[in-house]
Amino acid sequence: LVSLRSFVLHTKGSMKKQDSEAYIYDLINRLNSREPAGSSKKDIRWLAHREAEKLDDPAWYPVLESVIISNEGKENAEIRKGAYIIIERLLKNCFDQTYVDFLLRRAEYETDIDVLVSVLDALSDVKVTGDSNISGLIILADHPAWQIRFAALRDLGSFSTPESKTALYDFLERDRKKYKGEIVYAIASLGRIGTGDDIPALEKFLAVRIQDMRIAAEFAIGRIKEKS
């Protein structure tokens, strides 16, 4: 497997499909490793994450999509989770909106909380200005699990669209005690995609008693002003 990884990293363009998939499965297995290690430099999972961070060839996208589609079901949740982690790394190195949209579709499909969090994590650092269907993401902002609600609200800050802003404003108007965490995430996301026109809505939180909201609002306003 070591020789296969070396081959993959240096000759990706000429790889056969089965070799590509073999490498991805091997990388996913290492990302999911539970084998203990004495130090991070020897930790299989740590090394696998560092390896995934270096992947920068868009040819990996269809391979990962195939792996995900071929491994539906609860019994293969860890495989899909690992594949989503790799897509997250790829999006940072070679952005492809086609696979942002793929993740958005998968976010509507996945039901396992841990796997769904991995899908949403993969969308957290992208910056999308084109058209994407985020209706499913907006629905997930009201998911029963707080992990999913917070992640979905965070991800709305990756999409600079009227639909995203409308969804964020909806949370800003909710009960501050009941939706404290959600509002903090909505404020932070509005800071990512907002403009000067959004500052008045954020300024309302500068004087609230809830410290997390005040801090989030201050940071969001500062972020918007830096972009102006």
Side-chain angles (χ1 to χ4, degrees), residues 12-192:
K12 292 179 286 189
S14 60
M15 271 196 304
K16 295 180 180 179
K17 180 180 178 181
Q18 57 266 37
D19 292 333
S20 301
E21 289 193 350
Y23 168 71
I24 290 298
Y25 278 113
D26 173 53
L27 180 55
I28 289 172
N29 285 336
R30 288 182 283 121
L31 287 170
N32 293 330
S33 174
R34 297 293 185 269
E35 185 176 329
S39 68
S40 61
K41 292 183 179 180
K42 295 181 180 180
D43 185 86
I44 293 174
R45 291 183 67 185
W46 187 89
L47 292 171
H49 277 278
R50 303 295 79 75
E51 185 175 327
E53 289 172 356
K54 296 178 182 178
L55 296 181
D56 59 2
D57 189 338
W60 289 118
Y61 281 120
V63 179
L64 288 157
E65 179 179 1
S66 176
V67 167
I68 290 168
I69 299 301
S70 301
N71 287 279
E72 304 287 12
K74 185 176 181 179
E75 67 278 9
N76 295 316
E78 288 298 307
I79 294 176
R80 298 197 307 282
K81 181 179 177 180
Y84 293 132
I85 290 172
I86 300 172
I87 290 180
E88 177 184 0
R89 305 298 190 266
L90 272 177
L91 285 172
K92 293 179 180 179
N93 297 331
C94 49
F95 180 81
D96 187 333
Q97 186 163 334
T98 298
Y99 283 90
V100 170
D101 294 337
F102 170 70
L103 290 174
L104 287 169
R105 293 193 298 273
R106 295 300 300 183
E108 296 184 49
Y109 180 84
E110 295 285 4
T111 56
D112 182 280
I113 297 297
D114 288 339
V115 178
L116 183 49
V117 166
S118 294
V119 178
L120 298 175
D121 282 349
L123 293 167
S124 63
D125 288 329
V126 301
K127 186 176 181 180
V128 182
T129 56
D131 293 331
S132 289
N133 182 0
I134 62 170
S135 59
L137 198 59
I138 293 171
I139 292 172
L140 288 174
D142 275 309
H143 193 278
W146 66 266
Q147 301 97 317
I148 304 304
R149 295 196 302 275
F150 290 1
L153 284 163
R154 175 200 60 198
D155 289 355
L156 286 174
S158 296
F159 298 87
S160 186
T161 66
E163 293 81 7
S164 183
K165 276 194 178 183
T166 298
L168 294 173
Y169 268 87
D170 172 65
F171 277 89
L172 297 187
E173 297 298 324
R174 296 193 184 189
D175 183 274
R176 291 174 184 173
K177 290 184 179 180
K178 183 177 180 181
Y179 294 96
K180 172 185 171 182
E182 289 84 349
I183 292 173
V184 168
Y185 273 89
I187 290 171
S189 287
L190 191 57
R192 289 180 63 190

